[in-house]
């Protein structure tokens, strides 16, 4: 049976440490890390994510603000709002929750966020820095997965890693971070042929394709490390991952559960990067 990678536990540990670092920053420099989250519209999943981010930010001692604006906001108004927070020195991190409504150009909004406050790591400047091996602000989900590998002493050097999913948020930056640790990386996606056979060659399998229970034990080499980024609802509304946990856990060496795996680490990295951004003000 696989060792379960306890993302929830690691996230709690890191957030407790972070609260202490935040307190020290307050005492020594009088700076409180500030995070603003902009939520456009009423998407129910986004509302849950944003509430969790706010709760965790407050628990870590941050200044936290959530700006909720109606779905009908114009592009110009949203860009102006972002600009206000770029100029507000009490905020060190700005996050615009995705997805945005169809009439808004997502790329333009992400580009409007000042790269030094872009705690999501989605600005083209930060993506480029990451790709050239000089990443500062990293997309939080892959950054959180790297922390899990570290915590569990999972070595990546020379290993075959397969990332299933090629999104800008997870798949592409994940591949880069794995490469930085000397893994041999392949990216697969919805058009990949013979996916199960390819996956079976991987020592490290990161699944972020958004299809519930796609990865069965036929996809997994015995002893592989399996990281499940999926958050899907089954026909009964239950939260399920992209990996069929029960059967894969029997043959993997390590596996992340859903929920309680990758998700809590994403928020933790968001807070870490906001703290680091605040720290750069005094360094
Ligand atoms: N929507 C789903 N995941 C994310 C994320 O990591 N950041 C933002 N801004 N929006 C998201």
């Amino acid at each position: 049976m696989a060792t379960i990678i306890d993302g929830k536990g690691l996230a709690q540990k890191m957030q407790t440490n972070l609260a202490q670092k935040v307190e020290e920053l307050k005492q020594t420099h009088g700076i409180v890390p500030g995070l603003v989250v902009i939520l456009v519209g009423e998407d129910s999943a986004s509302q849950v994510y944003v509430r969790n981010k706010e709760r965790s930010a407050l628990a870590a001692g941050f200044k936290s603000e959530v700006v909720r604006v109606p779905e009908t906001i114009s592009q110009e108004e949203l860009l102006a709002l972002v600009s206000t927070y770029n100029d507000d020195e009490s905020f060190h991190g700005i996050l615009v929750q995705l997805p945005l409504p169809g009439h808004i150009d997502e790329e333009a909004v992400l580009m409007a966020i000042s790269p030094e406050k872009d705690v999501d790591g989605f600005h083209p400047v930060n993506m480029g820095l990451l790709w050239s091996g000089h990443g500062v602000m990293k997309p939080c989900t892959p950054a959180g997965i790297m922390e899990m590998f570290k915590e569990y002493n999972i070595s990546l050097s020379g290993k075959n890693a397969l990332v299933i999913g090629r999104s800008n948020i997870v798949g592409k930056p994940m591949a880069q971070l794995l490469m930085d640790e000397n893994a041999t990386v392949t990216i697969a996606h919805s058009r990949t042929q013979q996916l199960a056979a390819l996956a079976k060659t991987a020592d490290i399998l990161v699944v972020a394709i958004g299809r519930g229970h796609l990865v069965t034990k036929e996809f997994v080499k015995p002893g592989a490390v399996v990281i499940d980024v999926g958050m899907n609802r089954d026909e009964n509304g239950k939260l399920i991952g992209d990996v069929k946990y029960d059967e894969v856990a029997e043959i993997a060496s390590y596996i992340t559960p859903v929920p309680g795996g990758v998700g809590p680490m994403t928020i933790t990295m968001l807070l870490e990067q906001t703290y680091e951004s605040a720290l750069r003000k005094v360094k």
Side-chain angles (χ1 to χ4, degrees):
M1 273 305 271
T3 298
I4 298 169
I5 299 180
D6 178 12
K8 193 173 172 199
L10 177 57
Q12 276 164 357
K13 185 168 94 175
M14 288 180 71
Q15 288 182 30
T16 303
N17 281 342
L18 182 61
Q20 202 158 359
K21 290 190 285 182
V22 167
E23 188 54 36
E24 281 165 24
L25 187 63
K26 277 184 206 172
Q27 301 287 342
T28 54
H29 295 284
I31 292 186
V32 179
L35 173 67
V36 58
V37 176
I38 299 174
L39 173 60
V40 181
E42 310 277 329
D43 180 76
S44 60
S46 289
Q47 291 191 26
V48 174
Y49 296 148
V50 166
R51 216 174 302 130
N52 288 339
K53 285 167 185 168
E54 183 178 32
R55 193 181 310 131
S56 302
L58 290 172
F62 283 39
K63 171 177 172 172
S64 171
E65 191 167 315
V66 176
V67 186
R68 292 181 171 80
V69 295
E71 184 153 357
T72 51
I73 190 170
S74 71
Q75 167 124 343
E76 290 66 36
E77 288 169 314
L78 185 55
L79 291 175
L81 188 62
V82 169
S83 170
T84 309
Y85 287 100
N86 281 340
D87 296 338
D88 185 336
E89 298 222 339
S90 68
F91 289 100
H92 309 91
I94 302 172
L95 181 149
V96 178
Q97 186 68 28
L98 304 178
L100 292 170
H103 68 278
I104 290 179
D105 177 355
E106 193 167 290
E107 191 65 20
V109 174
L110 296 180
M111 279 181 75
I113 299 172
S114 164
E116 51 291 3
K117 295 190 179 188
D118 168 38
V119 281
D120 259 331
F122 294 166
H123 191 286
V125 164
N126 286 322
M127 293 209 280
L129 285 169
L130 185 69
W131 197 241
S132 62
H134 302 97
V136 178
M137 298 287 201
K138 301 169 186 167
C140 299
T141 299
I145 293 170
M146 296 309 285
E147 290 293 326
M148 291 171 150
F149 290 139
K150 214 187 307 168
E151 176 73 12
Y152 284 82
N153 292 313
I154 294 168
S155 79
L156 301 169
S157 183
K159 299 289 173 62
N160 286 332
L162 179 70
V163 179
I164 306 182
R166 56 179 158 182
S167 68
N168 289 334
I169 297 184
V170 184
K172 285 186 214 168
M174 185 78 250
Q176 178 60 37
L177 292 172
L178 287 165
M179 228 182 324
D180 287 347
E181 294 301 321
N182 303 309
T184 302
V185 182
T186 306
I187 302 183
H189 45 77
S190 55
R191 307 280 175 88
T192 298
Q193 296 182 359
Q194 318 275 353
L195 179 61
L198 179 64
K200 222 173 169 118
T201 66
D203 305 306
I204 311 282
L205 189 58
V206 180
V207 193
I209 198 157
R211 286 214 217 133
H213 287 173
L214 174 79
V215 171
T216 57
K217 66 178 188 309
E218 285 73 32
F219 286 60
V220 179
K221 173 158 100 177
V225 176
V226 180
I227 307 291
D228 187 352
V229 186
M231 297 254 261
N232 314 283
R233 298 274 165 194
D234 73 5
E235 59 277 10
N236 302 315
K238 185 171 165 251
L239 184 65
I240 60 166
D242 290 351
V243 175
K244 214 162 186 183
Y245 181 88
D246 290 343
E247 60 179 58
V248 172
E250 284 176 17
I251 59 169
S253 59
Y254 291 90
I255 189 166
T256 61
V258 175
V262 173
M265 290 303 296
T266 299
I267 293 188
T268 305
M269 299 317 289
L270 174 70
L271 301 180
E272 286 279 350
Q273 297 203 123
T274 304
Y275 166 77
E276 296 287 337
S277 175
L279 197 58
R280 280 192 285 275
K281 291 277 161 210
V282 296
K283 267 188 174 169

